[in-house]
Every structure is written in C-alpha cells, then in structure tokens.
Amino acid sequence: MKKPLIMLSAALMLGGVASAQKVAFEEYDLDNGMHVILHNDPSAPVVITSVMYHVGSKDETPDRTGFAHFFEHLLFEGTENIKRGEWMKIVTANGGTNNANTSDDRTYYYEVFPSNNLELAIWMESERLMHPVINKIGVDTQNEVVKEEKRTRYDNQPYGNILPEVKKNMFKNHPYRWTTIGSMKDLDAATLEEFKAFNKKFYTPNNAVLVIAGDFDKAKTKEWVQKYFGPIPKGQSLQKQTYTEEPITQPIKATYEDPNIQIPMLIASYRTPSMKTRDARVLDLISSYLSDGKSSKLYKKIVDDKKMALQIGAVGFSQEDYGMYILYGLPMNPYTSADLLKEIDEEIIKLQTNLISEKDYEKLQNKFDNNYVNSNSSVEGIAENLASYYLLYGDVNLINTEIDLYHSITREEIRDVAKKYLNPNQRLILDYVPSTKAQN
C-alpha cells in the first residue's frame, strides 16, 4: 500500500505544478534603454516597484573593492528632491517598506507600497537614478555604516570569514575573488570623484531593469513610468570585461585561523559553471541530494547515524560567470575534519558510480517543484525573479519554464555531472581552525 501512496502523492504534486498559474508579464523598452517589466496581480492591494542594476562587486577594480555594496547604502542618502534622512520617513509615512541588496553580479532596490502609492514609488526610484546626491557627508556616514557591518558580519562573527577565504583561494583572475563588502582600506582611500564616476558609469537606465508587480492600472502605470523614467538620459554603452579561470586540476589546500571559534570546521569547495548552464542546474539537484536538510545523504549518514559531526551542510553559490559548491562540517570529538572528508568522498563516489534510486529522484523533483511554487508565491518574489531572469539570464520567461529544465534532468546526467565536477583534484580544502593566539 505504501508505494501506491507515494506514487499518488508524487502525481498530485507534479499535477499541481503543471497546472500552476503561469506568471503573466509584459515587457518593453524606454527610449533611453531602460527595460520595463509589468506583472499585474490584483489579489491584494499592494504593489512592488523595483530596479535591478547590472552592477556588482565583479565590476570593481582590485584596488577599489566594495563600491557596489557601498552604493547599496549610499543611494538611500537622498536626492536633489528628497532631503538627506528623509527617504525612510517618506516610505514609512506612506505605509510602505523598502530595502536593497547586492551580489557579485547585480544590485537590487525595491519598495512595497499600498497600491494607491504607486506613483510615489515610481517617482522615488526615478529620483534615485536621476538626481542622487553624492557628497562627502553621505560618503563618510555610509563608510562608518559599512565598517560596522563588516565588523558584525565578518570580523567578529564566528566562522564569519569562511566566504572571503574560500573566494580568495578559488579565484585567481576573476573579481569573484573578493567579497561584496570589499576592503575598508579601499573605501577609505577612494575620493569623492571616484564615487561619482562609479555612479555615472553603472547607474544608468540602459544598465537596469524596472519591475512593477502587484495591483495597478496598466495604462496609468505606463504613463507614470514614461513621465518619471523617460526623461533620464541614456548612459554610456558598457563593455563588460570577461575573466577566465584556469580549471582546477590539483587540490588547493589552505588554512585559516579564526579567533572567534573553538571548534574547527572542514570546508571543501568546488568551482561550478555559470548558473545559466544546464550543468549548473544538474549540480543544484546534486547539492540538494547530498546536503539539503536533515534527510540528505550526508546529514543522515554523518550526523544522525555515525554521530561524527555536530553539523554538515552546504552552500551553493549560483552566479553569472562561475559558481561554487561549498560543503562544510563541524567534527565531533574524537573525529577530525579528515574523517568527515573521507565520509563525504564515499558518498560522492557512490553518486559518480551508481544511479540514484527512483525514490530519491522523485523526492528531488518534488522538492524543486515546491521551491518553484514558493519562489513565486509572493509578489515580492515574482518581482525579483522577473528582474533576475531578464538581467542575468536574458530570458524573462524562465520564470515559467525553468522548472521544466529541472524535470528534464535524468539520473544518468546526475551521475555524469558529479563525475565531471566533484573530484578530489578539483577542489579547495580549507582547514578553518581556532586561532592559536586566542588560546594562549
């Protein structure tokens, strides 16, 4: 009886995804090159206005890192028509929320307002683009904010420097080798003119996508978009520099001493291809199979069954040019990081040698169906997905079709892609250990 129930459950799940409502959208370009995407959803009286710029930490130079993330903060300082310190007050007073975030590849700003304040949101985002005020007081203020963020998130956080150390060792040529927060030394050394030049170069309508999603009148919205964004001058055409990394063919070994920890951590990191590739999507399934949640192969074996580790997990970094698959584990006495690595390698070899079971394959498909539904379950999620699929993937309709790509991946592909990328000679092993100085 159990197997028919599992099959019925899987059929219902797949049927639900297959019949899930497609995300409808309209897209067009303004004369200044700004791409506009509209998604109408009248189910709730809210609307999100967002702008994603194709600028991230990879667009910085080695001696001026952290600029893209710095602008995430700086462009809330105010504009010619929004006084310094007034941005958040205006948003809050009109029943809205707002935020921004930066990655290696892009920067994203958004406001969520009641539908009757859509014109305000469109005007505010156009102000951020057309009339930003970049002056010494704003730069100095945000410099201190970013320094405090770095102290909190990296310097004084247990295991806070894993990502900087992994990136530094995994990339030699590509700007992915530094973190988005960058170097405080670089920000301190930068002149006001350099900040203004960065803004002029990257924060342009033709380097951005505007997404409006939620409850709105389409004709009126197009009118407002043209009124506020249309007059903004087109920026210079950007020639994005490309960087190539040589394949990793020999194990990379590194050690980092963290004064904020008492238990060492094993880090094993593999370089993966661009998130736009089919192999990257196969690796998404592989990482879920191995390390996603307490029912994953690695957690069940190493934490639950053998009780060799306090924790086992992974972080996947899907990025525009290259990605990373970072496995980590906290060994439990008397076991060591080397013991955990041996167990991990055994599971990877099984994956490279045998096809995963039909049951595990169905479980993966169901999990990704669930992720797909959840990612489009809110207007905020839909807005960010629409922006990302346009700006980073070059195909907005992936919001509707990417799940079909995951469904088309076979068990044979999972085995073959694991063989291709997850080998001992293709990885970084980082011994992340307590600082000896901290113990003295």
Side-chain angles (χ1 to χ4, degrees), residues 155-268:
D155 301 340
N156 300 323
Q157 175 85 16
Y159 307 102
N161 275 297
I162 291 172
L163 188 56
E165 289 301 309
V166 169
K167 295 184 78 172
K168 180 177 76 177
N169 284 285
M170 291 290 287
F171 296 100
K172 300 303 177 188
N173 300 318
H174 201 289
Y176 285 165
R177 66 185 183 270
W178 56 78
T179 57
T180 54
I181 204 161
S183 163
M184 300 305 99
K185 176 172 63 70
D186 292 349
L187 293 177
D188 285 343
T191 64
L192 186 60
E193 287 68 31
E194 285 176 302
F195 286 113
K196 289 180 177 179
F198 191 86
N199 180 80
K200 183 179 180 181
K201 181 177 182 179
F202 292 108
Y203 290 85
T204 63
N206 47 307
N207 195 43
V209 55
L210 166 68
V211 178
I212 298 172
D215 181 24
F216 58 84
D217 176 85
K218 189 177 287 187
K220 198 66 185 171
T221 299
K222 286 183 174 182
E223 219 178 277
W224 288 331
V225 168
Q226 180 59 41
K227 176 181 177 181
Y228 295 113
F229 280 98
I232 301 174
K234 185 174 186 175
Q236 67 184 74
S237 295
L238 290 176
Q239 296 298 321
K240 289 273 187 173
Q241 190 168 348
T242 57
Y243 301 87
T244 303
E245 289 287 340
E246 292 297 320
I248 299 172
T249 57
Q250 295 294 326
I252 303 169
K253 295 192 176 179
T255 301
Y256 180 78
E257 294 188 359
D258 188 335
N260 302 308
I261 66 171
Q262 296 179 328
I263 301 172
M265 178 176 277
L266 164 71
I267 308 289

Side-chain angles (χ1 to χ4, degrees), residues 152-415:
T152 303
R153 290 180 53 196
Y154 293 88
D155 301 340
N156 300 323
Q157 175 85 16
Y159 307 102
N161 275 297
I162 291 172
L163 188 56
E165 289 301 309
V166 169
K167 295 184 78 172
K168 180 177 76 177
N169 284 285
M170 291 290 287
F171 296 100
K172 300 303 177 188
N173 300 318
H174 201 289
Y176 285 165
R177 66 185 183 270
W178 56 78
T179 57
T180 54
I181 204 161
S183 163
M184 300 305 99
K185 176 172 63 70
D186 292 349
L187 293 177
D188 285 343
T191 64
L192 186 60
E193 287 68 31
E194 285 176 302
F195 286 113
K196 289 180 177 179
F198 191 86
N199 180 80
K200 183 179 180 181
K201 181 177 182 179
F202 292 108
Y203 290 85
T204 63
N206 47 307
N207 195 43
V209 55
L210 166 68
V211 178
I212 298 172
D215 181 24
F216 58 84
D217 176 85
K218 189 177 287 187
K220 198 66 185 171
T221 299
K222 286 183 174 182
E223 219 178 277
W224 288 331
V225 168
Q226 180 59 41
K227 176 181 177 181
Y228 295 113
F229 280 98
I232 301 174
K234 185 174 186 175
Q236 67 184 74
S237 295
L238 290 176
Q239 296 298 321
K240 289 273 187 173
Q241 190 168 348
T242 57
Y243 301 87
T244 303
E245 289 287 340
E246 292 297 320
I248 299 172
T249 57
Q250 295 294 326
I252 303 169
K253 295 192 176 179
T255 301
Y256 180 78
E257 294 188 359
D258 188 335
N260 302 308
I261 66 171
Q262 296 179 328
I263 301 172
M265 178 176 277
L266 164 71
I267 308 289
S269 180
Y270 303 82
R271 193 193 299 151
T272 56
S274 163
M275 62 189 184
K276 294 180 274 192
T277 63
R278 184 175 179 87
D279 279 1
R281 294 178 172 95
V282 180
L283 284 159
D284 288 341
L285 293 180
I286 289 171
S287 63
S288 181
Y289 173 83
L290 286 175
S291 53
D292 183 10
K294 294 187 176 181
S295 65
S296 65
K297 296 301 176 185
L298 293 179
Y299 191 95
K300 190 166 188 323
K301 174 187 178 183
I302 298 172
V303 178
D304 280 353
D305 296 344
K306 294 195 172 184
K307 297 185 170 37
M308 297 175 65
L310 295 167
Q311 189 177 359
I312 283 285
V315 179
F317 281 83
S318 295
Q319 299 180 114
E320 193 174 15
D321 299 338
Y322 293 97
M324 294 183 294
Y325 176 48
I326 307 173
L327 285 158
Y328 61 88
L330 292 172
M332 186 185 295
N333 279 333
Y335 299 104
T336 65
S337 293
D339 296 325
L340 299 193
L341 185 61
K342 180 173 178 291
E343 299 293 332
I344 289 170
D345 283 343
E346 284 180 4
E347 289 305 309
I348 291 175
I349 289 169
K350 287 180 189 175
L351 190 61
Q352 294 170 329
T353 308
N354 305 308
L355 298 181
I356 67 172
S357 71
E358 286 281 4
K359 181 180 177 182
D360 283 334
Y361 180 74
E362 283 182 7
K363 177 184 168 185
L364 278 177
Q365 294 290 348
N366 290 342
K367 183 175 286 190
F368 275 72
D369 287 340
N370 187 55
N371 292 345
Y372 165 74
V373 172
N374 286 340
S375 71
N376 292 326
S377 63
S378 69
V379 70
E380 292 96 331
I382 289 173
E384 185 166 358
N385 286 339
L386 287 169
S388 297
Y389 284 127
Y390 168 75
L391 200 74
L392 303 179
Y393 291 83
D395 182 2
V396 186
N397 200 44
L398 276 173
I399 196 168
N400 293 313
T401 62
E402 188 174 42
I403 190 63
D404 298 326
L405 293 175
Y406 284 107
H407 284 165
S408 71
I409 293 168
T410 65
R411 293 188 297 153
E412 288 78 11
E413 279 183 279
I414 290 172
R415 178 196 61 201

Side-chain angles (χ1 to χ4, degrees), residues 96-202:
T97 60
N98 69 160
N99 214 329
N101 53 69
T102 312
S103 76
D104 291 357
D105 300 313
R106 92 295 179 273
T107 307
Y108 185 62
Y109 301 87
Y110 65 92
E111 282 83 31
V112 183
F113 275 115
S115 298
N116 61 344
N117 281 322
L118 174 58
E119 184 179 10
L120 173 66
I122 294 173
W123 172 72
M124 291 183 76
E125 279 303 327
S126 72
E127 271 292 297
R128 192 200 307 274
L129 179 55
M130 193 174 191
H131 297 129
V133 172
I134 300 171
N135 57 23
K136 189 174 187 306
I137 185 171
V139 167
D140 290 347
T141 300
Q142 295 308 322
N143 204 343
E144 291 306 311
V145 171
V146 171
K147 284 178 179 177
E148 181 57 29
E149 182 180 345
K150 186 175 185 296
R151 283 190 286 266
T152 303
R153 290 180 53 196
Y154 293 88
D155 301 340
N156 300 323
Q157 175 85 16
Y159 307 102
N161 275 297
I162 291 172
L163 188 56
E165 289 301 309
V166 169
K167 295 184 78 172
K168 180 177 76 177
N169 284 285
M170 291 290 287
F171 296 100
K172 300 303 177 188
N173 300 318
H174 201 289
Y176 285 165
R177 66 185 183 270
W178 56 78
T179 57
T180 54
I181 204 161
S183 163
M184 300 305 99
K185 176 172 63 70
D186 292 349
L187 293 177
D188 285 343
T191 64
L192 186 60
E193 287 68 31
E194 285 176 302
F195 286 113
K196 289 180 177 179
F198 191 86
N199 180 80
K200 183 179 180 181
K201 181 177 182 179
F202 292 108

